[in-house]
Amino acid sequence: MDFPNRPRYIPMNRRRRIYEGKAKILYEGPEPGTLIQHFKDDATAFNAKKHEVIDGKGVLNNRISEYVFTQLNNMGIPTHFIRRMNMREQLIREVEIIPLEVVVRNVAAGSLSSRLGIEEGTQLPRSIIEFYYKNDQLNDPMVSEEHITAFGWASPQEIDDIMALAIRVNDFLAGLFLGVGIKLVDFKMETGRLWEGDMMRIVVADEISPDSCRLWDIATGNKLDKDRFRRDMGGLVESYQEVARRLGILNEQEPPRGAGPTLVK
Ligand code: UDP
């Protein structure tokens, strides 16, 4: 039988690779305006000076990020996410990535603690938004709204939209994780311009996973995020599994570790 409107499945090794980053690969999607985002098992930190392959990480991040982006979409917070395709891949809308890492912090940790001498774990007086210029050669330097508008990375209106999105995502994520006994210390998100005809809107892009959040178990204080890798603590996959399990997205009978790609029908 013929399905003329159905995009033809293109095996992965024949798809055109658009971009390869540290933890993900982007392939050409099945239709114009779409891409396939592939999650690798690679973990990097300190601008890729530290690198390891951690079996199962990509599968978990794909699932956790799918869950978060689906909830955001359902709440009317626009994202690039369309649907998960298989264990390691998701179909996304092609957007024009704004070259900023947007960090939202609720509790002091990481670079904020070291830069300003505020002890890790200190509750911040309010949520704080920071911008970093996405540029590996420069080590993603922190920038202000002045830099962003002067160098044309985003307009003042776009910065307002990005900050409003970041606060909504923070409120949603903080509540989501609080409900499963996890404190959202901070997270990083990326945004992109989605063009629909002549209209453009800013959407959440990239991924939201324990690679890009700081998540602390409220009962024990245990870190359930990428700091386990950055700080050589071990147990990274187990922690990501714990996050997935608490969110109710892990099938206990089939731990994803080492499992090969499976096509979701
Ligand atoms: N983060 C990220 N990618 C980066 C830098 C930071 O996902 O390239 C996340 C990090 O996981 C944390 C938050 O952004 O949840 C704030 O990170 P911070 O500025 O404290 O930097 P770090 O301590 O990781 O150097």
Side-chain angles (χ1 to χ4, degrees):
M1 215 177 174
D2 217 16
F3 297 96
N5 294 324
R6 210 177 152 159
R8 208 159 46 88
Y9 176 73
I10 301 171
M12 203 179 74
N13 55 8
R14 279 203 272 128
R15 279 194 219 124
R16 196 156 65 88
R17 186 184 307 204
I18 308 281
Y19 172 81
E20 177 151 8
K22 285 171 277 195
K24 294 189 294 292
I25 308 173
L26 291 179
Y27 294 98
E28 187 174 59
E31 294 168 53
T34 65
L35 297 174
I36 290 163
Q37 177 165 259
H38 176 105
F39 288 74
K40 300 192 283 185
D41 280 337
D42 297 61
T44 61
F46 314 117
N47 200 11
K49 286 199 252 312
K50 183 177 164 90
H51 176 233
E52 255 174 60
V53 174
I54 301 180
D55 190 22
K57 181 177 81 81
V59 173
L60 283 157
N61 282 347
N62 186 24
R63 294 296 295 266
I64 295 170
S65 199
E66 169 201 16
Y67 182 81
V68 169
F69 277 77
T70 302
Q71 303 285 329
L72 292 175
N73 282 344
N74 290 344
M75 287 178 64
I77 301 177
T79 81
H80 72 164
F81 180 82
I82 302 173
R83 64 183 166 82
R84 184 168 65 85
M85 301 179 73
N86 56 48
M87 295 285 273
R88 288 191 182 273
E89 294 175 328
Q90 41 185 250
L91 185 66
I92 59 171
R93 285 182 209 291
E94 185 170 22
V95 300
E96 194 181 298
I97 288 287
I98 295 174
L100 298 171
E101 300 204 334
V102 183
V103 169
V104 185
R105 302 178 182 273
N106 301 302
V107 173
S111 70
L112 178 102
S113 290
S114 47
R115 210 172 41 239
L116 303 181
I118 301 173
E119 195 186 343
E120 282 214 319
T122 308
Q123 185 72 41
L124 298 171
R126 59 177 175 80
S127 302
I128 295 174
I129 303 179
E130 297 171 344
F131 298 105
Y132 295 84
Y133 178 45
K134 261 171 75 75
N135 186 318
D136 284 342
Q137 271 156 15
L138 301 174
N139 249 329
D140 296 347
M142 191 173 181
V143 292
S144 72
E145 294 179 42
E146 282 285 280
H147 300 110
I148 297 168
T149 51
F151 299 122
W153 299 323
S155 70
Q157 175 62 53
E158 287 176 330
I159 295 177
D160 285 352
D161 292 352
I162 292 169
M163 290 177 80
L165 265 184
I167 291 300
R168 288 190 78 192
V169 173
N170 183 53
D171 287 349
F172 164 72
L173 283 182
L176 174 74
F177 286 119
L178 182 63
V180 296
I182 293 173
K183 191 190 309 198
L184 177 68
V185 172
D186 56 33
F187 70 98
K188 184 264 299 185
M189 65 173 222
E190 296 188 23
T191 55
R193 297 183 186 96
L194 179 64
W195 291 92
E196 287 163 329
D198 284 346
M199 295 283 289
M200 185 276 288
R201 57 188 175 139
I202 307 262
V203 304
V204 184
D206 193 52
E207 72 179 294
I208 295 179
S209 73
D211 264 11
S212 55
C213 301
R214 281 198 171 90
L215 303 170
W216 294 355
D217 184 7
I218 291 172
T220 63
N222 279 345
K223 297 185 196 309
L224 302 174
D225 56 60
K226 200 169 140 185
D227 272 347
R228 301 205 73 87
F229 169 71
R230 294 189 192 98
R231 302 180 188 191
D232 293 318
M233 300 168 80
L236 180 130
V237 164
E238 291 73 11
S239 296
Y240 287 27
Q241 264 169 359
E242 176 65 14
V243 172
R245 193 189 60 74
R246 289 201 200 177
L247 293 174
I249 55 181
L250 197 69
N251 184 342
E252 313 256 354
Q253 266 67 56
E254 296 173 51
R257 190 166 199 165
T262 310
L263 189 67
V264 174
K265 300 266 159 57

